[in-house]
Amino acid sequence: GAVVSQHPSRVICKSGTSVKIECRSLDFQATTMFWYRQFPKQSLMLMATSNEGSKATYEQGVEKDKFLINHASLTLSTLTVTSAHPEDSSFYICSASPGQGGRQPQHFGDGTRLSIL
Amino acid sequence: AQKVTQAQTEISVVEKEDVTLDCVYETRDTTYYLFWYKQPPSGELVFLIRRNSFDEQNEISGRYSWNFQKSTSSFNFTITASQVVDSAVYFCALSEGNSGYSTLTFGKGTMLLVSP
């Protein structure tokens, strides 16, 4: 089945550090990738949608200069949390889809637990 | 706008009991997809089922079964003879097929605790 690899699985770093999270589709080309954020005991909230070769579309309230998304190839998207602060601590999870429209299901990575000290 | 409601925040059962997790959705589209995901304590999302809006047949997969009722906009999930390993947070999600993206809207999740 379709596999999405997310790396790293856990990050602990100091306030002010920038953190990059990678999301790779291992056995299919991902036209679209999604980034979600999940606070403890809450649901997944979509942060942004990225299509290969174009700028990401951010959801309302998500700072695009804070959360930089790059989708440079059909198998890789990256999320960079710039100058991270404790309030950015969260579980970040990516997903990838082979195409547009609900006909193509999303395949999820295992998530990255980010802790900012 | 699409919306998914999982009214049950937390359910506790004893092993071998049957349990039903409720999901009610709202959408203006006639073409849409419904999903259930399981999130164990380790955090990864485990895909359980996808159902499109034109297929109202109920589905059974082992101890899992799903009841899709368009008349009540519900897509409920039943676990028969629950086991401790079923303990997890379960999310219901909706994707509108005509949106141009397979964007998922998640419910708030139901935490299921199965005790021995």
Side-chain angles (χ1 to χ4, degrees), chain A residues 32 34 36 38 41-44 46 49 51 57 91 93 97 99-106 108-111 113, chain B residues 33 35 37 39 41-45 47 50 91 95-104 106-109 111:
Chain A
T32 308
F34 303 86
Y36 295 86
Q38 185 181 30
K41 297 190 178 183
Q42 293 191 23
S43 188
L44 283 77
L46 180 66
T49 303
N51 291 300
T57 302
F91 188 63
I93 190 164
S97 176
Q100 296 185 344
R103 290 183 298 276
Q104 300 289 348
Q106 292 184 31
F108 286 86
D110 286 347
R113 204 164 297 279
Chain B
Y33 297 79
F35 303 78
Y37 289 90
Q39 188 177 42
S42 48
E44 75 275 17
L45 277 179
F47 168 80
R50 180 179 67 150
F91 290 99
S95 173
E96 290 175 336
N98 293 328
S99 68
Y101 303 99
S102 51
T103 304
L104 283 171
F106 286 87
K108 292 188 174 181
M111 178 177 285

Side-chain angles (χ1 to χ4, degrees), chain A residues 73-92:
Chain A
S73 77
L74 284 171
T75 59
L76 174 65
S77 175
T78 60
L79 167 67
T80 301
V81 184
T82 61
S83 187
H85 289 96
E87 59 266 27
D88 298 322
S89 298
S90 189
F91 188 63
Y92 294 87

Side-chain angles (χ1 to χ4, degrees), chain A residues 11-52:
Chain A
V11 180
I12 301 173
C13 57
K14 293 181 180 179
S15 185
T17 307
S18 291
V19 179
K20 180 186 281 189
I21 303 169
E22 293 187 348
C23 181
R24 294 181 185 272
S25 55
L26 298 184
D27 54 358
F28 66 98
Q29 292 187 326
T31 307
T32 308
M33 286 187 169
F34 303 86
W35 287 95
Y36 295 86
R37 181 174 183 176
Q38 185 181 30
F39 289 106
K41 297 190 178 183
Q42 293 191 23
S43 188
L44 283 77
M45 299 301 296
L46 180 66
M47 297 174 67
T49 303
S50 70
N51 291 300
E52 184 266 339

Side-chain angles (χ1 to χ4, degrees), chain A residues 38 41-45, chain B residues 3-8 22-25 35-37 89-94 104-110:
Chain A
Q38 185 181 30
K41 297 190 178 183
Q42 293 191 23
S43 188
L44 283 77
M45 299 301 296
Chain B
K3 184 180 176 182
V4 176
T5 301
Q6 293 179 257
Q8 303 149 309
D22 298 334
C23 174
V24 175
Y25 63 91
F35 303 78
W36 275 96
Y37 289 90
V89 179
Y90 290 85
F91 290 99
C92 180
L94 167 71
L104 283 171
T105 297
F106 286 87
K108 292 188 174 181
T110 297

